[in-house]
Amino acid sequence: MTTLTDRPDTGRSDGPSGSAHDSRPLVLVVDDEESYRQALASGLSREGFAVEVAGDGHEALRLFHRVHPDLVLLDVMLPDQSGIELCQRMRALAPVPIIMVTARDSEVDVVLGLELGASDYVAKPFRLRELVARMRAVLRRGAATPAPLDQVLQVGPSGSTPGAGR
């Protein structure tokens, strides 16, 4: 396991914005290329993120359980398992935003990634500023908690259920 921040390991028990010592969003970068992980972690740290990195799916799951990231950047092609499979496993554990960052950019790959749980999909090579903008947008969307579909909505003096009367 490689930790690339000075962020203390607090178990993130004090909420999604981080520890009392570090309120930067925590990003878990999962990619098998070490030079890519290091460069991305450095760039994201300069952009105001705390960063943890993993080189394979097993290490990523261990970190995911330990640090409870606010967002995951996940490569599709990992040495020990499919990034798509890992995305589904993480999604089953927590509603954390996951952005697939991969060289696989065909329409089929993008649609599959999004339909199987990714919040966004970014093809390599990419511009760091665009990735950061997408990360911030996904984090903003993740902060909003939509009402359940079966919840009754009050409209004027009477209530109605979404989808009723169709």
Side-chain angles (χ1 to χ4, degrees):
M1 171 192 64
T2 307
T3 302
L4 294 177
T5 67
D6 55 0
R7 179 188 190 108
D9 181 15
T10 62
R12 312 265 304 158
S13 60
D14 48 20
S17 64
S19 71
H21 304 292
D22 191 345
S23 61
R24 299 177 296 169
L26 176 61
V27 179
L28 174 59
V29 175
V30 184
D31 195 286
D32 60 331
E33 287 185 47
E34 185 173 354
S35 61
Y36 170 80
R37 286 192 313 266
Q38 299 293 331
L40 187 54
S42 176
L44 293 176
S45 292
R46 283 192 308 271
E47 291 290 332
F49 294 93
V51 181
E52 295 281 343
V53 298
D56 62 44
H58 295 297
E59 185 179 14
L61 280 176
R62 282 192 301 273
L63 276 170
F64 189 84
H65 286 292
R66 196 188 93 218
V67 302
H68 308 284
D70 296 305
L71 181 128
V72 177
L73 296 179
L74 179 60
D75 190 9
V76 170
M77 297 178 287
L78 297 172
D80 59 344
Q81 63 184 289
S82 160
I84 298 289
E85 177 184 309
L86 184 58
C87 176
Q88 290 178 299
R89 290 180 71 188
M90 288 178 173
R91 273 279 182 248
L93 295 169
V96 173
I98 299 171
I99 299 178
M100 305 301 289
V101 181
T102 181
R104 298 182 68 171
D105 64 350
S106 73
E107 181 180 13
V108 170
D109 291 320
V110 174
V111 170
L112 182 64
L114 292 171
E115 286 185 352
L116 294 178
S119 305
D120 201 349
Y121 198 103
V122 178
K124 293 178 187 175
F126 56 83
R127 293 178 295 270
L128 181 63
R129 289 177 63 187
E130 179 183 347
L131 176 63
V132 167
R134 288 175 178 269
M135 291 168 63
R136 289 185 175 137
V138 165
L139 287 168
R140 280 193 306 272
R141 286 193 302 265
T145 52
L149 292 178
D150 60 349
Q151 181 176 341
V152 174
L153 299 176
Q154 269 316 111
V155 181
S158 65
S160 65
T161 303
R166 287 187 189 169

